[in-house]
Every structure is written in structure tokens, then in C-alpha cells.
Amino acid sequence: FVYVPPGGELRGGAWVVVDAQINNRMIEMYADPSARGGVLEPEGIVEIKFRENDLLKAMRRLDGQLRELHEAGATATSDDVATSKRRMAMQRESELLPLYRNAAIHFAEMHDTPWRMKQKHVIRDTVPWQSARTFFHWRLRRRMAEEYYLHNCTIGSRIDELPRLRARFLASESGSSWENDQSVALWLESLQGTGGKSHVPEALTILDRAREYLSGCPTQDRDNTALLQAIQGLAASLPRSLNN
């Protein structure tokens, strides 16, 4: 787990080292609501994306007084009036430049917030510092239990097994959410039992595959009594809540 704490910033090369894209199966990134992250700092983005010429164009487009001064200078009938209007316009621009630069920095900083990072899928979620200990406790237990389950499922790939695991959890734990790490962790740990390596994951996987096989067979082909008896015996050995 990678966690950016309150007031922390993750930038440039440091981001590349811990980016979840390195191994999105194992690396998860989180951030406090007050944390910030991005390749460049906001000031650096402004130097590239909002240079002084860009800020001056924005001023002339948005500020009515500055626009009037430029128009008056362009249509002046004498050089003295034109020079005076241009001088006033330059003074106005020098007064507005710090304000527009600060606005540009604030705009660039908005792209570094945890909510924006979550929307762009570079972090998994925002986690307030006050609840971080509890959150990561249950998140770690859930991920460890998931990996234990998937490691002991000898049939099928991870991509195939996760949807089955989710469906089985929702069927056996009515009213619980798959996003609730505590509920999922406790449920997965209950499958493992207490007496060493549990064979429940393998049994559940075989049972699911057998059900899928039989459901796809024509009715006249379902005469394998031994297979049906094996499935019934396997189902009977599992907890009642898992046979849904």
C-alpha cells in the first residue's frame, strides 16, 4: 500500500517508483484529502502551460477596462493619446499579472487533488488520516485472505475466479457489500478454517465448475450418476450458507 499523508506531496521521479501501474495487482495507492500529487508542481505547470503571453491574452479577453484601453489606443487620432492609452494598458497589465498568475497556479493545483487523482484512476481512494489505521487493517486482512484463496484455487485463472468469489459472497452474506473490506475479510477467513490448509476454496471451485458443466449439457446427457453423487457429497460437506 502507498499512502500520501496529510499535507504530503508525491511528485516526479518519486511517483514513478511507487506507481500502481508497475503491478496493479499488488500495488494500491491512497491519499489523505489534503494530500497532493502529480508529475509537476503547479508552479511548474504554469511555467509551461500558462506563460506570461498566455496570461496577457486572458487579461485582454476578460478584463473590460484593459480591453477598452487597447481599443482606445488603436483608434486614437493622435500619437500622444495612443501613447497614453498604451502606457495605461501596460500599467493595468502589471497590476493584474500577479492575480492572474495566482489564479493559474490555483487552477493547476486543482488537478493535483485526491478527488481528481481518483477520477483519473491513479489512486484507488481517499482515506482520511483519522481512519487510516482501521482502514488499512481491514484492507490488508482482506487482500491477504483473497490472495490465500486465489493461490489455493487450482482450477481457473484469477480473472475467472474473482467474479465467482464475489457472487458467492453476495449470495451467502445478504445485505453485505463487496466493497466492505471488514465483511469480506471475515468471510474469507471463515472459509480457511483453523486446522491448517483449508480445502474449501478448491471444493467451491470444483462445485461451481460442475454446476456450470451440467447446466450446459442437454437433458438426455445428464445421466452420470456418479458425477451427480460426487457433487451432492461435496456440497453437503460445505457450510450450508455456501451452497447457494
Side-chain angles (χ1 to χ4, degrees):
F1 298 140
V2 179
Y3 180 63
V4 187
E9 294 188 11
L10 188 61
R11 304 286 182 188
W15 186 293
V16 175
V17 173
V18 298
D19 187 17
Q21 296 301 316
I22 297 173
N23 185 350
N24 55 17
R25 173 182 166 184
M26 292 297 179
I27 299 177
E28 296 180 359
M29 291 188 65
Y30 302 88
D32 181 84
S34 65
R36 296 292 182 268
V39 177
L40 294 176
E41 294 185 359
E43 291 80 0
I45 295 176
V46 170
E47 290 296 325
I48 298 173
K49 297 291 187 179
F50 296 100
R51 297 184 179 181
E52 185 170 326
N53 287 338
D54 299 315
L55 296 177
L56 291 175
K57 291 178 182 178
M59 291 179 207
R60 294 163 186 168
R61 185 177 70 252
L62 300 175
D63 187 74
Q65 182 178 346
L66 185 60
R67 189 166 55 249
E68 290 175 1
L69 288 172
H70 277 286
E71 291 175 355
T75 59
T77 56
S78 66
D79 292 341
D80 292 340
V81 174
T83 302
S84 176
K85 294 298 182 181
R86 284 195 294 269
R87 187 180 299 111
M88 293 173 64
M90 293 175 61
Q91 183 178 356
R92 178 69 176 171
E93 289 172 350
S94 64
E95 293 173 353
L96 292 176
L97 187 59
L99 299 177
Y100 273 71
R101 181 173 286 111
N102 287 338
I105 292 174
H106 180 68
F107 178 75
E109 189 178 37
M110 290 173 63
H111 292 74
D112 293 345
T113 62
W115 296 275
R116 179 65 176 172
M117 289 190 285
K118 182 179 179 181
Q119 186 180 24
K120 300 298 288 185
H121 306 293
V122 296
I123 66 172
R124 185 174 180 273
D125 205 354
T126 57
V127 180
W129 177 259
Q130 294 80 357
S131 60
R133 183 186 294 270
T134 301
F135 173 84
F136 285 114
H137 169 82
W138 289 111
R139 184 64 187 167
L140 180 60
R141 283 179 62 173
R142 184 236 176 99
R143 293 290 291 113
M144 291 179 65
E146 275 184 352
E147 290 303 318
Y148 175 89
Y149 173 88
L150 294 172
H151 179 73
N152 286 281
C153 284
T154 56
I155 299 178
S157 65
R158 179 188 182 89
I159 297 177
D160 294 332
E161 296 303 333
L162 274 177
R164 292 192 180 94
L165 183 64
R166 180 179 183 275
R168 193 176 299 123
F169 168 79
L170 295 176
S172 62
E173 300 289 326
S174 58
S176 297
S177 170
W178 180 248
E179 302 302 321
N180 187 321
D181 290 331
Q182 181 176 355
S183 298
V184 176
L186 293 175
W187 180 75
L188 286 170
E189 289 170 357
S190 70
L191 298 184
Q192 298 175 17
T194 57
K197 180 179 178 181
S198 170
H199 295 283
V200 170
E202 294 95 324
L204 289 171
T205 302
I206 295 171
L207 182 59
D208 277 348
R209 290 301 179 85
R211 285 171 171 164
E212 290 179 4
Y213 171 76
L214 290 176
S215 65
C217 289
T219 305
Q220 62 270 21
D221 294 340
R222 301 182 190 175
D223 56 357
N224 195 327
T225 305
L227 177 60
L228 291 174
Q229 289 177 347
I231 293 173
Q232 290 170 356
L234 184 60
S237 67
L238 299 174
R240 184 180 300 275
S241 61
L242 299 178
N243 288 316
N244 296 323

mmCIF file of all heavy atoms in Angstrom, residues 64-102:
data_model
loop_
_atom_site.group_PDB
_atom_site.id
_atom_site.type_symbol
_atom_site.label_atom_id
_atom_site.label_comp_id
_atom_site.label_asym_id
_atom_site.label_seq_id
_atom_site.Cartn_x
_atom_site.Cartn_y
_atom_site.Cartn_z
ATOM 1 N N GLY A 64 -12.573 44.114 -18.831
ATOM 2 C CA GLY A 64 -13.218 45.130 -19.656
ATOM 3 C C GLY A 64 -12.419 46.415 -19.738
ATOM 4 O O GLY A 64 -12.311 47.024 -20.821
ATOM 5 N N GLN A 65 -11.859 46.868 -18.622
ATOM 6 C CA GLN A 65 -11.090 48.114 -18.620
ATOM 7 C C GLN A 65 -9.859 48.007 -19.514
ATOM 8 O O GLN A 65 -9.559 48.935 -20.283
ATOM 9 C CB GLN A 65 -10.668 48.456 -17.189
ATOM 10 C CG GLN A 65 -9.894 49.756 -17.070
ATOM 11 C CD GLN A 65 -9.533 50.085 -15.628
ATOM 12 O OE1 GLN A 65 -10.069 49.486 -14.687
ATOM 13 N NE2 GLN A 65 -8.626 51.026 -15.450
ATOM 14 N N LEU A 66 -9.161 46.883 -19.435
ATOM 15 C CA LEU A 66 -7.977 46.698 -20.260
ATOM 16 C C LEU A 66 -8.352 46.620 -21.737
ATOM 17 O O LEU A 66 -7.648 47.170 -22.596
ATOM 18 C CB LEU A 66 -7.248 45.414 -19.825
ATOM 19 C CG LEU A 66 -5.919 45.114 -20.511
ATOM 20 C CD1 LEU A 66 -4.914 46.236 -20.268
ATOM 21 C CD2 LEU A 66 -5.351 43.789 -20.004
ATOM 22 N N ARG A 67 -9.455 45.974 -22.035
ATOM 23 C CA ARG A 67 -9.900 45.878 -23.421
ATOM 24 C C ARG A 67 -10.237 47.262 -23.979
ATOM 25 O O ARG A 67 -9.891 47.580 -25.131
ATOM 26 C CB ARG A 67 -11.118 44.945 -23.488
ATOM 27 C CG ARG A 67 -11.529 44.602 -24.905
ATOM 28 C CD ARG A 67 -12.493 43.424 -24.938
ATOM 29 N NE ARG A 67 -13.673 43.651 -24.102
ATOM 30 C CZ ARG A 67 -13.946 42.990 -22.972
ATOM 31 N NH1 ARG A 67 -13.107 42.051 -22.542
ATOM 32 N NH2 ARG A 67 -15.032 43.254 -22.268
ATOM 33 N N GLU A 68 -10.866 48.097 -23.179
ATOM 34 C CA GLU A 68 -11.206 49.457 -23.623
ATOM 35 C C GLU A 68 -9.949 50.286 -23.871
ATOM 36 O O GLU A 68 -9.885 51.071 -24.835
ATOM 37 C CB GLU A 68 -12.084 50.133 -22.574
ATOM 38 C CG GLU A 68 -13.488 49.552 -22.477
ATOM 39 C CD GLU A 68 -14.293 50.173 -21.350
ATOM 40 O OE1 GLU A 68 -13.734 51.074 -20.668
ATOM 41 O OE2 GLU A 68 -15.446 49.780 -21.141
ATOM 42 N N LEU A 69 -8.939 50.141 -23.008
ATOM 43 C CA LEU A 69 -7.704 50.906 -23.193
ATOM 44 C C LEU A 69 -7.007 50.520 -24.491
ATOM 45 O O LEU A 69 -6.495 51.387 -25.215
ATOM 46 C CB LEU A 69 -6.773 50.669 -21.999
ATOM 47 C CG LEU A 69 -7.200 51.316 -20.678
ATOM 48 C CD1 LEU A 69 -6.304 50.858 -19.540
ATOM 49 C CD2 LEU A 69 -7.177 52.852 -20.785
ATOM 50 N N HIS A 70 -6.979 49.222 -24.786
ATOM 51 C CA HIS A 70 -6.335 48.790 -26.029
ATOM 52 C C HIS A 70 -7.124 49.282 -27.250
ATOM 53 O O HIS A 70 -6.522 49.683 -28.259
ATOM 54 C CB HIS A 70 -6.226 47.263 -26.055
ATOM 55 C CG HIS A 70 -5.044 46.739 -25.302
ATOM 56 N ND1 HIS A 70 -3.752 46.838 -25.775
ATOM 57 C CD2 HIS A 70 -4.959 46.117 -24.083
ATOM 58 C CE1 HIS A 70 -2.916 46.288 -24.898
ATOM 59 N NE2 HIS A 70 -3.617 45.845 -23.860
ATOM 60 N N GLU A 71 -8.434 49.247 -27.160
ATOM 61 C CA GLU A 71 -9.258 49.732 -28.279
ATOM 62 C C GLU A 71 -9.084 51.231 -28.467
ATOM 63 O O GLU A 71 -8.993 51.725 -29.605
ATOM 64 C CB GLU A 71 -10.719 49.386 -28.025
ATOM 65 C CG GLU A 71 -11.025 47.893 -28.107
ATOM 66 C CD GLU A 71 -12.456 47.579 -27.722
ATOM 67 O OE1 GLU A 71 -13.174 48.528 -27.301
ATOM 68 O OE2 GLU A 71 -12.856 46.402 -27.814
ATOM 69 N N ALA A 72 -9.020 51.957 -27.351
ATOM 70 C CA ALA A 72 -8.836 53.412 -27.441
ATOM 71 C C ALA A 72 -7.473 53.756 -28.031
ATOM 72 O O ALA A 72 -7.334 54.698 -28.828
ATOM 73 C CB ALA A 72 -8.997 54.038 -26.056
ATOM 74 N N GLY A 73 -6.452 52.991 -27.638
ATOM 75 C CA GLY A 73 -5.123 53.250 -28.181
ATOM 76 C C GLY A 73 -5.040 52.935 -29.663
ATOM 77 O O GLY A 73 -4.326 53.608 -30.411
ATOM 78 N N ALA A 74 -5.766 51.926 -30.103
ATOM 79 C CA ALA A 74 -5.720 51.539 -31.512
ATOM 80 C C ALA A 74 -6.472 52.523 -32.392
ATOM 81 O O ALA A 74 -6.152 52.671 -33.581
ATOM 82 C CB ALA A 74 -6.299 50.142 -31.684
ATOM 83 N N THR A 75 -7.486 53.188 -31.837
ATOM 84 C CA THR A 75 -8.308 54.109 -32.643
ATOM 85 C C THR A 75 -8.008 55.574 -32.364
ATOM 86 O O THR A 75 -8.735 56.466 -32.834
ATOM 87 C CB THR A 75 -9.796 53.829 -32.358
ATOM 88 O OG1 THR A 75 -10.067 54.000 -30.958
ATOM 89 C CG2 THR A 75 -10.174 52.412 -32.778
ATOM 90 N N ALA A 76 -6.958 55.847 -31.576
ATOM 91 C CA ALA A 76 -6.628 57.235 -31.218
ATOM 92 C C ALA A 76 -6.238 58.019 -32.469
ATOM 93 O O ALA A 76 -5.587 57.494 -33.370
ATOM 94 C CB ALA A 76 -5.508 57.255 -30.193
ATOM 95 N N THR A 77 -6.613 59.285 -32.476
ATOM 96 C CA THR A 77 -6.336 60.148 -33.644
ATOM 97 C C THR A 77 -4.985 60.832 -33.550
ATOM 98 O O THR A 77 -4.520 61.415 -34.533
ATOM 99 C CB THR A 77 -7.439 61.203 -33.778
ATOM 100 O OG1 THR A 77 -7.541 61.948 -32.544
ATOM 101 C CG2 THR A 77 -8.777 60.544 -34.085
ATOM 102 N N SER A 78 -4.380 60.790 -32.360
ATOM 103 C CA SER A 78 -3.067 61.430 -32.204
ATOM 104 C C SER A 78 -2.111 60.460 -31.521
ATOM 105 O O SER A 78 -2.523 59.578 -30.762
ATOM 106 C CB SER A 78 -3.181 62.725 -31.392
ATOM 107 O OG SER A 78 -3.564 62.439 -30.048
ATOM 108 N N ASP A 79 -0.815 60.682 -31.772
ATOM 109 C CA ASP A 79 0.193 59.809 -31.174
ATOM 110 C C ASP A 79 0.244 59.963 -29.663
ATOM 111 O O ASP A 79 0.497 58.989 -28.946
ATOM 112 C CB ASP A 79 1.574 60.122 -31.770
ATOM 113 C CG ASP A 79 1.659 59.729 -33.230
ATOM 114 O OD1 ASP A 79 0.814 58.903 -33.666
ATOM 115 O OD2 ASP A 79 2.544 60.246 -33.927
ATOM 116 N N ASP A 80 0.017 61.156 -29.172
ATOM 117 C CA ASP A 80 0.069 61.381 -27.724
ATOM 118 C C ASP A 80 -1.020 60.583 -27.012
ATOM 119 O O ASP A 80 -0.777 59.966 -25.967
ATOM 120 C CB ASP A 80 -0.096 62.873 -27.418
ATOM 121 C CG ASP A 80 1.098 63.685 -27.880
ATOM 122 O OD1 ASP A 80 2.180 63.066 -28.074
ATOM 123 O OD2 ASP A 80 0.950 64.903 -28.044
ATOM 124 N N VAL A 81 -2.225 60.611 -27.570
ATOM 125 C CA VAL A 81 -3.327 59.860 -26.962
ATOM 126 C C VAL A 81 -3.052 58.360 -27.032
ATOM 127 O O VAL A 81 -3.275 57.618 -26.061
ATOM 128 C CB VAL A 81 -4.662 60.195 -27.663
ATOM 129 C CG1 VAL A 81 -5.780 59.293 -27.131
ATOM 130 C CG2 VAL A 81 -5.016 61.659 -27.437
ATOM 131 N N ALA A 82 -2.560 57.892 -28.175
ATOM 132 C CA ALA A 82 -2.271 56.458 -28.329
ATOM 133 C C ALA A 82 -1.200 56.016 -27.344
ATOM 134 O O ALA A 82 -1.303 54.953 -26.715
ATOM 135 C CB ALA A 82 -1.829 56.166 -29.762
ATOM 136 N N THR A 83 -0.132 56.840 -27.200
ATOM 137 C CA THR A 83 0.937 56.503 -26.262
ATOM 138 C C THR A 83 0.420 56.470 -24.832
ATOM 139 O O THR A 83 0.772 55.573 -24.048
ATOM 140 C CB THR A 83 2.091 57.506 -26.380
ATOM 141 O OG1 THR A 83 2.581 57.517 -27.726
ATOM 142 C CG2 THR A 83 3.214 57.149 -25.426
ATOM 143 N N SER A 84 -0.433 57.427 -24.479
ATOM 144 C CA SER A 84 -1.000 57.485 -23.131
ATOM 145 C C SER A 84 -1.863 56.258 -22.846
ATOM 146 O O SER A 84 -1.773 55.662 -21.760
ATOM 147 C CB SER A 84 -1.830 58.759 -22.971
ATOM 148 O OG SER A 84 -2.468 58.776 -21.706
ATOM 149 N N LYS A 85 -2.680 55.840 -23.801
ATOM 150 C CA LYS A 85 -3.548 54.670 -23.611
ATOM 151 C C LYS A 85 -2.728 53.387 -23.490
ATOM 152 O O LYS A 85 -3.044 52.504 -22.690
ATOM 153 C CB LYS A 85 -4.535 54.563 -24.780
ATOM 154 C CG LYS A 85 -5.549 55.706 -24.862
ATOM 155 C CD LYS A 85 -6.436 55.749 -23.613
ATOM 156 C CE LYS A 85 -7.485 56.865 -23.734
ATOM 157 N NZ LYS A 85 -8.334 56.945 -22.518
ATOM 158 N N ARG A 86 -1.656 53.299 -24.303
ATOM 159 C CA ARG A 86 -0.812 52.104 -24.218
ATOM 160 C C ARG A 86 -0.097 52.034 -22.870
ATOM 161 O O ARG A 86 0.043 50.940 -22.295
ATOM 162 C CB ARG A 86 0.199 52.099 -25.367
ATOM 163 C CG ARG A 86 -0.392 51.702 -26.715
ATOM 164 C CD ARG A 86 0.699 51.357 -27.709
ATOM 165 N NE ARG A 86 1.506 52.508 -28.042
ATOM 166 C CZ ARG A 86 1.255 53.345 -29.056
ATOM 167 N NH1 ARG A 86 0.208 53.117 -29.856
ATOM 168 N NH2 ARG A 86 2.044 54.372 -29.295
ATOM 169 N N ARG A 87 0.340 53.215 -22.379
ATOM 170 C CA ARG A 87 1.007 53.247 -21.081
ATOM 171 C C ARG A 87 0.029 52.838 -19.976
ATOM 172 O O ARG A 87 0.393 52.083 -19.069
ATOM 173 C CB ARG A 87 1.553 54.644 -20.812
ATOM 174 C CG ARG A 87 2.409 54.719 -19.549
ATOM 175 C CD ARG A 87 2.941 56.124 -19.310
ATOM 176 N NE ARG A 87 3.793 56.562 -20.402
ATOM 177 C CZ ARG A 87 3.468 57.531 -21.262
ATOM 178 N NH1 ARG A 87 2.284 58.134 -21.176
ATOM 179 N NH2 ARG A 87 4.310 57.882 -22.216
ATOM 180 N N MET A 88 -1.193 53.300 -20.049
ATOM 181 C CA MET A 88 -2.200 52.937 -19.057
ATOM 182 C C MET A 88 -2.533 51.437 -19.144
ATOM 183 O O MET A 88 -2.753 50.779 -18.117
ATOM 184 C CB MET A 88 -3.456 53.776 -19.275
ATOM 185 C CG MET A 88 -3.261 55.258 -18.981
ATOM 186 S SD MET A 88 -4.707 56.264 -19.424
ATOM 187 C CE MET A 88 -5.926 55.607 -18.291
ATOM 188 N N ALA A 89 -2.551 50.914 -20.345
ATOM 189 C CA ALA A 89 -2.832 49.496 -20.528
ATOM 190 C C ALA A 89 -1.710 48.645 -19.932
ATOM 191 O O ALA A 89 -1.951 47.632 -19.268
ATOM 192 C CB ALA A 89 -3.011 49.176 -22.014
ATOM 193 N N MET A 90 -0.454 49.047 -20.151
ATOM 194 C CA MET A 90 0.668 48.317 -19.586
ATOM 195 C C MET A 90 0.655 48.355 -18.068
ATOM 196 O O MET A 90 0.980 47.365 -17.392
ATOM 197 C CB MET A 90 1.986 48.887 -20.125
ATOM 198 C CG MET A 90 2.193 48.656 -21.619
ATOM 199 S SD MET A 90 3.705 49.460 -22.259
ATOM 200 C CE MET A 90 4.952 48.632 -21.294
ATOM 201 N N GLN A 91 0.274 49.508 -17.513
ATOM 202 C CA GLN A 91 0.182 49.607 -16.058
ATOM 203 C C GLN A 91 -0.911 48.684 -15.517
ATOM 204 O O GLN A 91 -0.734 48.022 -14.496
ATOM 205 C CB GLN A 91 -0.106 51.061 -15.651
ATOM 206 C CG GLN A 91 -0.157 51.264 -14.148
ATOM 207 C CD GLN A 91 -0.394 52.726 -13.772
ATOM 208 O OE1 GLN A 91 -0.444 53.604 -14.651
ATOM 209 N NE2 GLN A 91 -0.546 52.975 -12.491
ATOM 210 N N ARG A 92 -2.026 48.662 -16.236
ATOM 211 C CA ARG A 92 -3.126 47.769 -15.831
ATOM 212 C C ARG A 92 -2.685 46.302 -15.906
ATOM 213 O O ARG A 92 -3.014 45.501 -15.020
ATOM 214 C CB ARG A 92 -4.333 48.015 -16.745
ATOM 215 C CG ARG A 92 -5.540 47.129 -16.485
ATOM 216 C CD ARG A 92 -6.200 47.442 -15.169
ATOM 217 N NE ARG A 92 -7.418 46.658 -14.976
ATOM 218 C CZ ARG A 92 -8.094 46.609 -13.836
ATOM 219 N NH1 ARG A 92 -7.683 47.296 -12.772
ATOM 220 N NH2 ARG A 92 -9.177 45.874 -13.734
ATOM 221 N N GLU A 93 -1.957 45.942 -16.934
ATOM 222 C CA GLU A 93 -1.487 44.567 -17.075
ATOM 223 C C GLU A 93 -0.522 44.183 -15.955
ATOM 224 O O GLU A 93 -0.578 43.061 -15.431
ATOM 225 C CB GLU A 93 -0.808 44.391 -18.434
ATOM 226 C CG GLU A 93 -1.778 44.417 -19.603
ATOM 227 C CD GLU A 93 -1.079 44.440 -20.935
ATOM 228 O OE1 GLU A 93 0.155 44.634 -20.963
ATOM 229 O OE2 GLU A 93 -1.769 44.266 -21.971
ATOM 230 N N SER A 94 0.359 45.110 -15.583
ATOM 231 C CA SER A 94 1.304 44.819 -14.495
ATOM 232 C C SER A 94 0.572 44.645 -13.167
ATOM 233 O O SER A 94 1.027 43.881 -12.303
ATOM 234 C CB SER A 94 2.350 45.936 -14.385
ATOM 235 O OG SER A 94 1.730 47.172 -14.033
ATOM 236 N N GLU A 95 -0.557 45.355 -12.999
ATOM 237 C CA GLU A 95 -1.338 45.193 -11.775
ATOM 238 C C GLU A 95 -2.081 43.860 -11.750
ATOM 239 O O GLU A 95 -2.217 43.229 -10.690
ATOM 240 C CB GLU A 95 -2.348 46.343 -11.649
ATOM 241 C CG GLU A 95 -1.715 47.709 -11.429
ATOM 242 C CD GLU A 95 -2.745 48.828 -11.489
ATOM 243 O OE1 GLU A 95 -3.929 48.519 -11.832
ATOM 244 O OE2 GLU A 95 -2.389 49.993 -11.227
ATOM 245 N N LEU A 96 -2.558 43.421 -12.910
ATOM 246 C CA LEU A 96 -3.356 42.195 -12.983
ATOM 247 C C LEU A 96 -2.504 40.926 -13.064
ATOM 248 O O LEU A 96 -2.978 39.833 -12.705
ATOM 249 C CB LEU A 96 -4.285 42.243 -14.203
ATOM 250 C CG LEU A 96 -5.414 43.279 -14.165
ATOM 251 C CD1 LEU A 96 -6.170 43.261 -15.489
ATOM 252 C CD2 LEU A 96 -6.356 43.017 -13.009
ATOM 253 N N LEU A 97 -1.259 41.060 -13.534
ATOM 254 C CA LEU A 97 -0.440 39.866 -13.778
ATOM 255 C C LEU A 97 -0.296 38.964 -12.544
ATOM 256 O O LEU A 97 -0.475 37.744 -12.649
ATOM 257 C CB LEU A 97 0.926 40.283 -14.320
ATOM 258 C CG LEU A 97 1.831 39.142 -14.792
ATOM 259 C CD1 LEU A 97 1.164 38.345 -15.907
ATOM 260 C CD2 LEU A 97 3.183 39.700 -15.264
ATOM 261 N N PRO A 98 0.042 39.510 -11.351
ATOM 262 C CA PRO A 98 0.154 38.613 -10.177
ATOM 263 C C PRO A 98 -1.161 37.898 -9.847
ATOM 264 O O PRO A 98 -1.149 36.732 -9.446
ATOM 265 C CB PRO A 98 0.563 39.564 -9.042
ATOM 266 C CG PRO A 98 1.162 40.740 -9.724
ATOM 267 C CD PRO A 98 0.402 40.888 -11.006
ATOM 268 N N LEU A 99 -2.297 38.586 -10.031
ATOM 269 C CA LEU A 99 -3.589 37.971 -9.746
ATOM 270 C C LEU A 99 -3.876 36.826 -10.712
ATOM 271 O O LEU A 99 -4.334 35.747 -10.308
ATOM 272 C CB LEU A 99 -4.692 39.025 -9.837
ATOM 273 C CG LEU A 99 -4.587 40.212 -8.865
ATOM 274 C CD1 LEU A 99 -5.708 41.214 -9.125
ATOM 275 C CD2 LEU A 99 -4.638 39.734 -7.417
ATOM 276 N N TYR A 100 -3.598 37.059 -11.976
ATOM 277 C CA TYR A 100 -3.848 36.015 -12.971
ATOM 278 C C TYR A 100 -2.880 34.843 -12.801
ATOM 279 O O TYR A 100 -3.253 33.684 -13.028
ATOM 280 C CB TYR A 100 -3.734 36.602 -14.381
ATOM 281 C CG TYR A 100 -5.038 37.200 -14.877
ATOM 282 C CD1 TYR A 100 -5.531 38.379 -14.334
ATOM 283 C CD2 TYR A 100 -5.781 36.575 -15.863
ATOM 284 C CE1 TYR A 100 -6.730 38.935 -14.767
ATOM 285 C CE2 TYR A 100 -6.979 37.117 -16.320
ATOM 286 C CZ TYR A 100 -7.445 38.293 -15.762
ATOM 287 O OH TYR A 100 -8.653 38.826 -16.188
ATOM 288 N N ARG A 101 -1.642 35.133 -12.404
ATOM 289 C CA ARG A 101 -0.683 34.044 -12.178
ATOM 290 C C ARG A 101 -1.134 33.187 -10.992
ATOM 291 O O ARG A 101 -1.058 31.953 -11.049
ATOM 292 C CB ARG A 101 0.713 34.608 -11.947
ATOM 293 C CG ARG A 101 1.751 33.518 -11.739
ATOM 294 C CD ARG A 101 3.160 34.048 -11.671
ATOM 295 N NE ARG A 101 3.677 34.445 -12.970
ATOM 296 C CZ ARG A 101 3.929 35.699 -13.333
ATOM 297 N NH1 ARG A 101 3.715 36.688 -12.487
ATOM 298 N NH2 ARG A 101 4.393 35.970 -14.541
ATOM 299 N N ASN A 102 -1.600 33.826 -9.923
ATOM 300 C CA ASN A 102 -2.105 33.067 -8.773
ATOM 301 C C ASN A 102 -3.323 32.232 -9.145
ATOM 302 O O ASN A 102 -3.479 31.092 -8.680
ATOM 303 C CB ASN A 102 -2.457 34.021 -7.631
ATOM 304 C CG ASN A 102 -1.230 34.601 -6.954
ATOM 305 O OD1 ASN A 102 -0.141 34.027 -7.025
ATOM 306 N ND2 ASN A 102 -1.388 35.737 -6.289
#
